[in-house]
Amino acid sequence: MAGRVWILFLLAISLPDKISSITNINKTENSAESRITSPTVSSIIISVPYDKNQHQCSYRIESTINSMSTRRSSSGHYSSLDLSGYALHQPLRSAPYEMYVTDMRVKIPGRTSNNWARVEQCRFDPTMSTLQSRLIFRDIAVTGAVKLYDENAPLKNPLRPSTMTDKCKMTIRLRRAGVGFTTVPRRARTGAVAVSTTATFIEPQFVSVHAYGCDLPSSVYQRTDGPEARDRDDSDISQEMEEVFLKGIRTLITNYMEKEMEQALRDTLMINLGYSVSYGKR
């Protein structure tokens, strides 16, 4: 089993980094897909130089982590971050179907949600005016509901449904995964100081993927040359579904954390550049 887990991990790393789409369902009613956008701040007022010796580099980043909303399970055995507003979509190579993952949630094991993530690195380079930071998740599990669709089914046969599977569940467990950030200043057209951040996923020390109830119907199989071929098709499709789920979760976590941490990273960089940052209405 351990060997298969690492084979899946290596195969997933070899897949293209770009997932067909990561959709924020709550962003718009008129578009099936929309990019993850940053929260709007009314204004940023840059005032007198700030005494950065009074603050550690990671102070605002840690505060943001601790303030991220988590929900306790009824059993109290874990907390969770709700990602139900997001969806993954990817066409499969091994079968002519589209894979969708919805109802996603990040589970944080333990009876307390404190210290579920920590700042492993936070360093400001005054020469390059660059903030390098790194978040590490101790042990998280991401669950999602999976469905396969044949988008062309109604065209081929109006009586044939487009949904090829009932919702099944997939869970990916990541131990010591993380996200690294590089935050740099840039000049906006107005002449004001702006900030841009690049986020990178940090590969975990341990990863496993499990599927629950994802038995595929016979209509999914394209081969008709015997049970052995059907078993082989089943294995290929199931393996690719797990790979797509793993790859999509890596991308989703990276984008999600970049969005959540953007303000803290921006403020930390500005403070280290010698400014104080306050917020007010225009």
Side-chain angles (χ1 to χ4, degrees):
M1 180 63 183
R4 181 166 182 256
V5 166
W6 282 108
I7 290 173
L8 283 174
F9 182 39
L10 294 174
L11 285 171
I13 293 176
S14 67
L15 287 174
D17 284 336
K18 184 177 180 182
I19 296 298
S20 178
S21 68
I22 297 180
T23 304
N24 187 338
I25 299 172
N26 296 327
K27 288 294 179 184
T28 176
E29 295 180 355
N30 299 322
S31 174
E33 299 178 8
S34 58
R35 296 181 61 84
I36 296 175
T37 57
S38 304
T40 301
V41 176
S42 55
S43 65
I44 299 180
I45 305 169
I46 306 298
S47 56
V48 297
Y50 187 85
D51 183 7
K52 59 186 177 184
N53 293 326
Q54 296 178 7
H55 287 258
Q56 298 178 349
C57 179
S58 60
Y59 172 75
R60 287 175 181 259
I61 301 174
E62 290 174 341
S63 297
T64 299
I65 294 173
N66 293 334
S67 65
M68 289 177 66
S69 60
T70 60
R71 187 176 68 178
R72 298 295 300 160
S73 66
S74 57
S75 64
H77 291 163
Y78 64 86
S79 299
S80 65
L81 298 173
D82 191 2
L83 303 180
S84 59
Y86 298 89
L88 302 177
H89 166 229
Q90 177 70 33
L92 297 180
R93 300 186 311 270
S94 55
Y97 299 104
E98 309 277 330
M99 176 176 168
Y100 288 84
V101 185
T102 58
D103 303 330
M104 287 178 287
R105 182 170 295 169
V106 179
K107 292 185 177 182
I108 305 166
R111 294 184 177 276
T112 174
S113 60
N114 295 334
N115 301 320
W116 67 278
R118 65 182 180 86
V119 181
E120 188 179 72
Q121 173 186 316
C122 186
R123 183 175 64 86
F124 173 70
D125 183 346
T127 303
M128 303 298 294
S129 298
T130 301
L131 178 70
Q132 297 281 353
S133 52
R134 178 196 296 251
L135 296 180
I136 296 296
F137 314 121
R138 284 177 166 77
D139 192 352
I140 60 174
V142 187
T143 62
V146 180
K147 270 194 174 184
L148 295 184
Y149 287 86
D150 181 356
E151 305 288 0
N152 296 321
L155 298 176
K156 299 174 185 176
N157 184 351
L159 299 179
R160 179 183 172 189
S162 60
T163 306
M164 301 309 299
T165 62
D166 293 330
K167 278 188 180 180
C168 63
K169 288 186 178 181
M170 280 192 175
T171 298
I172 179 173
R173 183 181 178 187
L174 303 170
R175 185 178 298 161
R176 286 193 56 80
V179 179
F181 305 96
T182 300
T183 309
V184 297
R186 58 181 177 83
R187 288 287 177 183
R189 291 183 178 180
T190 59
V193 178
V195 170
S196 61
T197 296
T198 302
T200 306
F201 185 78
I202 299 171
E203 299 297 343
Q205 290 184 353
F206 171 84
V207 58
S208 64
V209 183
H210 298 281
Y212 306 91
C214 292
D215 297 327
L216 303 177
S218 58
S219 57
V220 171
Y221 306 123
Q222 299 303 299
R223 298 176 181 267
T224 58
D225 50 351
E228 292 184 6
R230 177 169 295 186
D231 291 343
R232 185 166 59 250
D233 288 345
D234 185 23
S235 177
D236 291 344
I237 297 173
S238 298
Q239 180 172 300
E240 185 182 4
M241 289 172 63
E242 292 177 359
E243 293 168 7
V244 168
F245 185 64
L246 171 56
K247 203 74 173 181
I249 291 302
R250 291 167 71 243
T251 304
L252 175 60
I253 288 177
T254 303
N255 292 347
Y256 178 81
M257 293 305 297
E258 181 180 1
K259 171 181 173 292
E260 292 294 318
M261 303 304 301
E262 182 180 39
Q263 182 175 315
L265 294 169
R266 177 177 56 208
D267 291 353
T268 300
L269 177 62
M270 297 304 295
I271 288 171
N272 278 275
L273 288 173
Y275 299 96
S276 65
V277 180
S278 59
Y279 296 89
K281 296 182 178 178
R282 294 181 186 276

